[in-house]
Amino acid sequence: MHNDHFEPSLHGYAPQGYGALPTRTNPFAIASFVLSFFVTLLSIIFGHVALSQIKRTGEGGRGLALAGLWISYLSVVAALTALGVFWVMALNAQNAATRSFASGDGVYAAPTPYYNSTPQPYYSAPADSSQPISGSDASYAVPQFSSAPAADGPAAVAQPASSSPVSDADRAYCQNRGVLLWLAGSATYRGALCSIDGSPTLISMANDVGGNVTLPARSETNSFSATAPDGTEYSYGQGTVTITTTSKTFTEPTTEWEAGNASSLSSPGDLGLSVPISYPACDENVMIVYGTSWHSATNAGAVQKLLDTHPGSSYMRTDLSCRAFTGPSTANSESAYVYVVYSEESSEDAACKVISGTAYYGRLLSNSRESGENKLQCG
């Protein structure tokens, strides 16, 4: 018997004339994919909205949404990576860049002298040096040096027959124990090439640290240099002064480049007072400090007043003296030169008797002591 009726669902095919409806593509998926090339944030937002709607409605476009999200997130990662690389390069460039201190609004941490493990001493006027100084009018005036290059560089200067100082420049820059062969410096560093005990020696001083290093030196045609035990390299050249540590390189233009016998180096630091500046021998003798001055605009008047108050006294500048004294630094003089009015005594006992009951204090004139170790100890 023939059956005119059938069940389409049982035979696996649909009646002729009927087709499957096309699946609608989610518009947010399309937007996510297109915007992934232009507006990453919107692409990410639209992509997540599309996936949520597709899961609920069964619409098409899941592949487009996923592609938009992948492209957008990869773009974010690439941008962050590029930003990180740029930041590292900028930091490295800043560390290696030439630093100018003319503006005075930045601080550069210069390499600490390798032997110095104790804080730099403070100076006061005329109270004991354990108290910090105060005052906002102190400023470090960068010395004005002759920029005319010398005909012959350091390598052309012969070692003298004797290391005994013969000039004020020898006494000032070579700590009264050698002969000055060459002097170089920048706004931050000063280096003296000296002949000490028959050997070329570098005495390097940093203005913002105050201490100094003494090292065996190498002498080239247009430069002289030395290497510290910790690997720090000091190089003083006709064009640039370069200090290289294990972590950074610091370079400044050379502002001072003169042979040790240059006439411009006579009487370094002299203030033109009734008493000329002195460069005392660093022979462990005792000095009594009556007061100090570090303000460039008023140094002459302040020092002259102290000299008048203490007849027979002398004055010196700490960076032009014995190794145990510091030079200008942010710690002891707001980076200005320190002038000291003093007198010498024959013994520590004699100095202590003068100091007793006063605001004065004592120091030892020494090249064998490190900075801060030359304080006179009175019972």
Side-chain angles (χ1 to χ4, degrees), residues 314-330:
S314 304
Y315 79 96
M316 69 175 195
R317 207 174 79 185
T318 56
D319 68 303
L320 302 174
S321 185
C322 310
R323 177 175 180 172
F325 289 101
T326 59
S329 75
T330 54

Side-chain angles (χ1 to χ4, degrees), residues 74-99:
L74 287 175
S75 298
V76 171
V77 171
L80 291 177
T81 301
L83 181 61
V85 171
F86 176 79
W87 181 257
V88 171
M89 292 175 63
L91 288 178
N92 290 337
Q94 182 180 13
N95 287 337
T98 297
R99 181 69 172 94

Side-chain angles (χ1 to χ4, degrees), residues 85 154 173 209 226 235 247 249:
V85 171
Y173 296 109
V209 176
S235 179
S247 60
T249 297

